[in-house]
Amino acid sequence: GAGVSQSPSNKVTEKGKDVELRCDPISGHTALYWYRQSLGQGLEFLIYFQGNSAPDKSGLPSDRFSAERTGGSVSTLTIQRTQQEDSAVYLCASSLTNSPLHFGNGTRLTVT
Amino acid sequence: AQSVTQLDSQVPVFEEAPVELRCNYSSSVSVYLFWYVQYPNQGLQLLLKYLSGSTLVKGINGFEAEFNKSQTSFHLRKPSVHISDTAEYFCAVSEVGNNDMRFGAGTRLTVKP
């Protein structure tokens, strides 16, 4: 079946613009995660959705970052007033409860 | 919340040599442990996982890891590496009953001929 799908695969934006990154998880997966991968920085946790529970937003680096998950499926990560330090690969993953994560191919964001 | 420390950011080894990538975790409750691998220009994929049972876990491509509760470790090993094992390896932990998954900073394994 289909895996985790992320769009766009690449995004170049000017400093100060807003961007939206989309994630389509695997159907039926209750958990959805956003991570950020910067060169040499590993995987930085951003936010985690589990079913209908309130999301764990503890990893969001600033109030410019927000995410939502509509209908327990598709998720959108929004970055407002982008800065150059926001440049990274943004990874989405989904899973069943206490099961391994399935990752998308990521969105490479470049802020110029 | 749980956390993961990968003690080595880079590990260079020669082909056919053994390798150990170290991982320590911190949690106040029982955990599940995972190793993921990211080959160059590819997405992350699961290498192996520990959920319960035997503390020695075997994964794909000849890798194995041992869960040591007293030392809060989950080191990854392979007795003889290949050039194709060159990749970034990530250790991850989630707490039992909580799906929240946290990753270490990664270890870049470079296998040289």
Side-chain angles (χ1 to χ4, degrees):
Chain A
V4 177
S5 177
Q6 291 187 246
S7 60
S9 55
N10 280 284
K11 177 72 175 178
V12 180
T13 190
E14 292 181 352
K15 178 181 173 181
K17 300 284 190 182
D18 298 351
V19 295
E20 282 190 356
L21 312 180
R22 178 187 168 102
C23 173
D24 283 272
I26 292 173
S27 178
H29 279 192
T30 55
L32 186 148
Y33 308 77
W34 284 98
Y35 295 91
R36 179 167 69 177
Q37 187 175 26
S38 306
L39 190 63
Q41 296 298 313
L43 282 167
E44 178 187 4
F45 168 77
L46 297 177
I47 188 169
Y48 157 59
F49 296 89
Q50 173 63 52
N52 296 320
S53 302
D56 178 353
K57 303 180 181 180
S58 61
L60 295 178
S62 77
D63 59 7
R64 296 186 296 105
F65 287 72
S66 63
E68 61 178 23
R69 188 180 185 191
T70 54
S73 180
V74 172
S75 177
T76 302
L77 176 69
T78 301
I79 309 174
Q80 296 178 309
R81 305 181 302 282
T82 52
Q83 304 294 314
Q84 288 187 331
E85 62 262 29
D86 298 336
S87 296
V89 176
Y90 289 82
L91 291 169
C92 177
S94 70
S95 76
L96 297 169
T97 302
N98 283 136
S99 295
L101 273 58
H102 296 257
F103 282 87
N105 288 329
T107 294
R108 182 175 297 280
L109 175 66
T110 304
V111 182
T112 61
Chain B
Q2 72 276 33
S3 65
V4 179
T5 302
Q6 290 184 244
L7 298 165
D8 307 295
S9 60
Q10 297 188 59
V11 174
V13 294
F14 287 105
E15 193 173 18
E16 298 183 5
V19 71
E20 178 179 83
L21 306 184
R22 295 180 292 170
C23 171
N24 286 87
Y25 69 91
S26 174
S27 175
S28 58
V29 300
S30 297
V31 297
Y32 297 135
L33 295 155
F34 307 82
W35 276 96
Y36 287 81
V37 59
Q38 186 176 33
Y39 296 105
N41 301 313
Q42 294 187 28
L44 279 94
Q45 57 184 283
L46 181 69
L47 193 60
L48 51 77
K49 62 182 185 287
Y50 170 78
L51 302 181
S52 65
S54 173
T55 57
L56 183 63
V57 179
K58 295 188 184 298
I60 61 172
N61 300 336
F63 283 92
E64 63 180 33
E66 186 156 20
F67 170 50
N68 187 319
K69 187 175 181 180
S70 63
Q71 297 187 1
T72 60
S73 68
F74 191 56
H75 301 331
L76 181 70
R77 302 186 184 98
K78 186 170 182 177
S80 176
V81 294
H82 303 292
I83 298 287
S84 60
D85 293 324
T86 294
E88 186 100 21
Y89 291 80
F90 294 93
C91 184
V93 61
S94 67
E95 295 179 335
V96 174
N98 180 345
N99 226 26
D100 189 359
M101 180 94 62
R102 301 300 171 100
F103 286 78
T107 297
R108 182 171 299 277
L109 174 66
T110 303
V111 181
K112 299 179 285 187

